[in-house]
Amino acid sequence: MPATPTTDPLQRERDHLASSRAALRAMREDVESLDLRDVTGTWVSAVVLQNQIEARIAALADLSHTPLFFGRLDYLHAVSEELSEGGGGENFYIGRRHVHDADGDPMVIDWRAPVSQPFYRASRTEPMDVERRRRFGYTGGELTAYEDEHLTDPAETETSSALLAAEIEKPRVGPMRDIVATIQPEQDEIVRSDVTGTICVQGAPGTGKTAVGLHRVAYLLYAHRERLARTGTLVIGPNNAFLSYIEQVLPALGELDVAQATVQQLVGHVEVRGEDDPEAARLKGDARMAEVLRRAVRAGISLPTEPCVVVRGSRRWRVPVYELVEIIEELKGREIRYGAARDALPQRLAHAVLLKMEQGGEAPDDRVQDAVARTAAVKAVVKECWPAVDPAKLVLRLLSDPEFLAECAEGVLTPEEQRAVLWPKPGRSVKTARWTPADAVLVDEATDLVQRTPSLGHVVLDEAQDLSPMQYRAVGRRCTTGSATVLGDLAQGTTPWATASWPEALRHLGKADAHIEELTKGFRVPEEVIVYASRLLPAIAPGLAPATSVRETPGSLTIRPVADEDPVEAVLRACREALEHEGSTGLIAADARIPRLAEALTAAGLSYLSPGDETSTESRLTLVPASLAKGLEYDYVVLDEPAAVVAGEPDERTGLRRLYVALTRAVSGLTVLHAEQLPEQLL
């Protein structure tokens, strides 16, 4: 006998989930069963096709603890053309990927599809033809609850979503999760911005700017897959710990081919083994260094003093000095890449010889011009007047040779600034020199001056406020013909060269016309915590509006003086208290105090992880140096000695900014321990 349809709404939704999972399995099995043995083509095309199939199989994975759909839209009218004549509405299940049945009819709609957009933007004032929006609650992979909003029912009062709040506040164990079920209207507007435009997001702590940037990549890959598959996408983060934390977000959304890197990895032309003092690093990151390098790259160009004489058979063809000078001056004036000009010079010289040959009654063709370009006489002129440049060797000379630096920096850097950027001990070779992170960026700039850096289709730059102008230029080179999503918070700038304003930063990036959005509504940090941290804003970023939070969590902030007890024992006790709660715990401390705390945790039998290590139900405590806390989040945070965090930086403003970062990492609770006096801004 056929099964009787259930009248229980929750059970019907569970049945649809089960059917959708079965359909997804069938889709995956269909791809797995494809036989490539009879496919014609080269071995290269066969390998490419096999890789595409394997990527498709991976994208169709059914993650047991990740809900296949998280919402449903019931439209007042039909959306599909074939149903529009009937006048009735349609409903769509919204999920992380598209799922269809054996007939090709959709069972789950990708959250990025146009029909899904009202799930994020519809409201009572603008229902977007949606009669009902349903949200689903899950425990593990099991559907356990649902919640309805009737957007066109005037009798229904507007209330906040309990399921939405529960999803936002769900304990953080493991890597960063996607926020696809909780995207807010202002976030969705950024996510769906056009691929051709660059957008900059100034986001206060907890506003979801990182998640917005990652979901924007996922959306762009959905809407412009062919274009971005050809040109590539890249996510740039501040450090490897941060990249490890976010690395599972895009795969969970079915996007497996997005590269990740730090700025330092992008400019890895030389091995970094040294450190600059703050002033030297600031000057090397100054945009003026671009002009110094431009002059250095072109410093070897010289004008000829002898004619070029090419021997062809029994005849000699002579290009006079003045013509050679005209050719070289013309190439210099075009401001094309140094290497491209050097590659063009032999052909230009050969063309001048061919003109002489034609005037002499010969009829040379292109093959003759190529042969002339390879002659010893032409090569000698190129070598003498436009010598090859090795970018790393050039920067090595620039930072080691005071006279060469003075020549290239005249009128750009003062003598005092020149002395500051010179290496204390001149480098002897590219391999043995103690390159610093700022030096590596200079080498990247010089490399681009010699040969153009390939451009990607889209770049996401997170924690952008910490980049120097020269680092912005390095990132900008990777998206000259593409677009970018720039994410950051001016209040969290913790480098001596931290960004002063977004328009200035975007100018260095080469995206001066980018649109700037500001996110101030927080979803992660409790109101009590963000209000406390915002006391620092007048001192660290007076022009920024303080963040607000949608989450009122009484008792989420504890300020505990520990001057009358052993501070380390107080830290251990606070960690044990935090671990009594469900979720992750981060112990954040000044970098200099980390070894002592690590020793104490080990002695006390409290196992701990390092930033970037994945938390689990067995290992939920992470020991975090304050310098690595940016971008990370934990359910509960124990902050050790704020005064030490401030004192660990070269100046008070940077120290207070570092403290602001540390104060805003908690999702559910923050405990601040201090034996020393708190900074006056927090009193």
Side-chain angles (χ1 to χ4, degrees):
M1 294 179 61
T4 303
T6 178
T7 58
D8 178 7
L10 182 59
Q11 186 57 49
R12 285 203 302 270
E13 302 295 13
R14 287 172 173 165
D15 292 343
H16 186 79
L17 176 61
S19 300
S20 299
R21 289 196 183 281
L24 181 61
R25 285 195 299 273
M27 291 170 62
R28 183 182 173 101
E29 289 166 0
D30 285 345
V31 179
E32 290 174 332
S33 66
L34 291 174
D35 189 349
L36 300 181
R37 288 175 295 181
D38 296 330
V39 176
T40 59
T42 66
W43 68 269
V44 175
S45 61
V47 170
V48 171
L49 186 57
Q50 182 62 45
N51 290 339
Q52 291 175 339
I53 289 175
E54 290 175 358
R56 177 62 175 161
I57 291 171
L60 290 172
D62 186 3
L63 307 178
S64 60
H65 294 290
T66 301
L68 198 55
F69 56 79
F70 48 82
R72 186 179 114 182
L73 289 176
D74 294 356
Y75 279 88
L76 287 168
H77 303 92
V79 176
S80 307
E81 291 184 7
E82 60 268 24
L83 297 180
S84 59
E85 294 182 0
E90 291 181 85
N91 61 63
F92 298 94
Y93 288 84
I94 313 301
R96 286 167 172 77
R97 58 173 59 83
H98 175 86
V99 179
H100 60 254
D101 61 18
D103 297 324
D105 294 326
M107 301 190 71
V108 180
I109 299 293
D110 194 302
W111 66 275
R112 298 166 288 188
V115 75
S116 303
Q117 185 173 337
F119 184 79
Y120 302 108
R121 298 204 192 178
S123 64
R124 295 184 185 281
T125 56
E126 191 175 348
M128 301 176 70
D129 201 44
V130 173
E131 188 277 327
R132 175 170 58 185
R133 172 168 52 205
R134 174 168 287 181
R135 300 182 189 275
F136 296 105
Y138 287 82
T139 301
E142 183 182 354
L143 198 161
T144 54
Y146 69 88
E147 182 181 78
D148 288 341
E149 294 175 87
H150 297 86
L151 300 180
T152 58
D153 183 357
E156 185 176 281
T157 58
E158 187 166 1
T159 58
S160 57
S161 169
L163 290 181
L164 184 64
E167 177 65 24
I168 292 173
E169 297 172 12
K170 187 179 294 182
R172 266 83 174 152
V173 173
M176 179 180 177
R177 304 191 304 264
D178 66 71
I179 62 164
V180 67
T182 63
I183 294 174
Q184 299 300 295
E186 63 271 24
Q187 295 172 327
D188 187 66
E189 187 173 342
I190 296 170
V191 166
R192 296 176 193 263
S193 298
D194 188 68
V195 69
T196 59
T198 289
I199 190 164
C200 174
V201 181
Q202 158 60 41
T207 54
K209 55 185 177 295
T210 295
V212 165
L214 294 174
H215 287 68
R216 175 158 162 72
V217 171
Y219 171 77
L220 293 178
L221 285 168
Y222 173 87
H224 307 278
R225 187 167 302 280
E226 183 176 340
R227 171 177 177 173
L228 292 180
R230 184 175 65 253
T231 56
T233 52
L234 173 67
V235 175
I236 302 174
N239 51 57
N240 287 322
F242 177 84
L243 293 178
S244 296
Y245 178 60
I246 68 170
E247 67 181 356
Q248 294 303 316
V249 174
L250 289 169
L253 298 173
E255 302 300 342
L256 308 173
D257 296 324
V258 179
Q260 292 187 170
T262 64
V263 172
Q264 212 54 52
Q265 289 165 347
L266 287 184
V267 300
H269 308 285
V270 292
E271 182 182 357
V272 173
R273 297 187 300 154
E275 283 291 336
D276 286 308
D277 63 62
E279 179 61 9
R282 185 187 67 80
L283 287 169
K284 289 177 181 179
D286 194 298
R288 292 176 294 166
M289 288 300 297
E291 173 61 20
V292 175
L293 288 166
R294 191 192 71 82
R295 294 180 185 181
V297 167
R298 290 174 165 260
I301 300 175
S302 62
L303 299 178
T305 57
E306 299 288 339
C308 177
V309 180
V310 175
V311 179
R312 292 282 296 174
S314 61
R315 305 190 67 174
R316 294 159 60 90
W317 305 99
R318 181 177 179 274
V319 182
V321 171
Y322 78 89
E323 287 191 27
L324 299 178
V325 170
E326 287 177 357
I327 291 171
I328 292 173
E329 291 283 15
E330 193 270 336
L331 282 175
K332 284 176 63 178
R334 288 175 60 188
E335 291 291 337
I336 60 176
R337 292 297 193 282
Y338 184 92
R342 189 174 191 274
D343 292 340
L345 182 55
Q347 290 291 333
R348 297 292 301 275
L349 297 174
H351 181 69
V353 172
L354 258 64
L355 292 178
K356 304 296 182 187
M357 296 172 70
E358 290 172 350
Q359 292 168 5
E362 296 193 11
D365 56 19
D366 290 345
R367 289 174 298 176
V368 174
Q369 179 168 325
D370 290 339
V372 171
R374 295 192 296 270
T375 60
V378 169
K379 288 181 178 180
V381 173
V382 174
K383 183 178 180 180
E384 177 68 25
C385 299
W386 207 288
V389 169
D390 181 301
K393 289 182 179 178
L394 180 83
V395 177
L396 177 77
R397 180 187 174 195
L398 190 69
L399 300 178
S400 303
D401 185 342
E403 292 183 1
F404 184 53
L405 177 60
E407 174 191 338
C408 299
E410 183 180 0
V412 180
L413 301 179
T414 67
E416 292 77 13
E417 290 173 329
Q418 293 174 33
R419 285 192 291 272
V421 300
L422 279 168
W423 284 339
K425 292 184 178 180
R428 300 183 64 181
S429 71
V430 169
K431 287 189 176 181
T432 62
R434 292 186 61 79
W435 297 100
T436 69
D439 296 337
V441 180
L442 299 182
V443 175
D444 190 70
E445 179 85 22
T447 301
D448 184 70
L449 288 166
V450 174
Q451 202 71 43
R452 182 183 296 277
T453 304
S455 175
L456 297 164
H458 192 79
V459 170
V460 174
L461 175 60
D462 206 351
E463 301 297 348
Q465 72 281 344
D466 277 336
L467 269 61
S468 70
M470 292 299 287
Q471 288 175 317
Y472 276 117
R473 290 174 62 88
V475 174
R477 286 191 279 278
R478 272 77 185 176
C479 55
T480 50
T481 59
S483 56
T485 301
V486 181
L487 312 165
D489 180 10
L490 296 179
Q492 296 185 57
T494 51
T495 57
W497 49 84
T499 299
S501 73
W502 290 122
E504 177 186 344
L506 293 166
R507 179 169 54 82
H508 294 309
L509 189 71
K511 305 291 184 183
D513 58 347
H515 179 64
I516 300 175
E517 288 279 352
E518 186 171 6
L519 296 177
T520 59
K521 185 189 296 184
F523 304 95
R524 173 174 57 78
V525 185
E527 176 76 10
E528 193 174 355
V529 173
I530 197 65
V531 167
Y532 182 71
S534 294
R535 296 181 187 180
L536 298 173
L537 285 178
I540 62 176
L544 289 183
T548 60
S549 177
V550 300
R551 298 179 53 227
E552 294 186 5
T553 312
S556 57
L557 175 65
T558 301
I559 311 298
R560 185 179 298 168
V562 294
D564 296 334
E565 57 182 303
D566 183 339
V568 173
E569 287 298 323
V571 168
L572 296 176
R573 177 162 57 88
C575 288
R576 291 190 180 98
E577 291 172 355
L579 289 169
E580 291 176 0
H581 300 283
E582 186 181 4
S584 59
T585 294
L587 169 55
I588 304 177
D591 290 28
R593 297 168 70 90
I594 291 295
R596 184 184 178 192
L597 291 175
E599 184 179 338
L601 289 171
T602 301
L606 287 173
S607 62
Y608 62 90
L609 305 169
S610 298
D613 294 343
E614 186 173 321
T615 56
S616 64
T617 53
E618 293 77 27
S619 299
R620 297 185 291 118
L621 175 63
T622 304
L623 179 58
V624 187
S627 63
L628 295 181
K630 196 170 298 180
L632 305 180
E633 60 183 34
Y634 302 94
D635 290 290
Y636 292 87
V637 167
V638 176
L639 175 58
D640 168 64
E641 204 58 77
V645 173
V646 177
E649 300 299 328
D651 60 83
E652 184 185 40
R653 191 188 73 161
T654 303
L656 291 174
R657 285 182 166 185
R658 186 75 72 190
L659 177 58
Y660 181 74
V661 171
L663 287 169
T664 53
R665 299 304 95 200
V667 175
S668 297
L670 169 66
T671 299
V672 179
L673 306 177
H674 68 99
E676 300 179 38
Q677 177 78 17
L678 288 171
E680 62 178 337
Q681 293 84 357
L682 293 179
L683 297 177

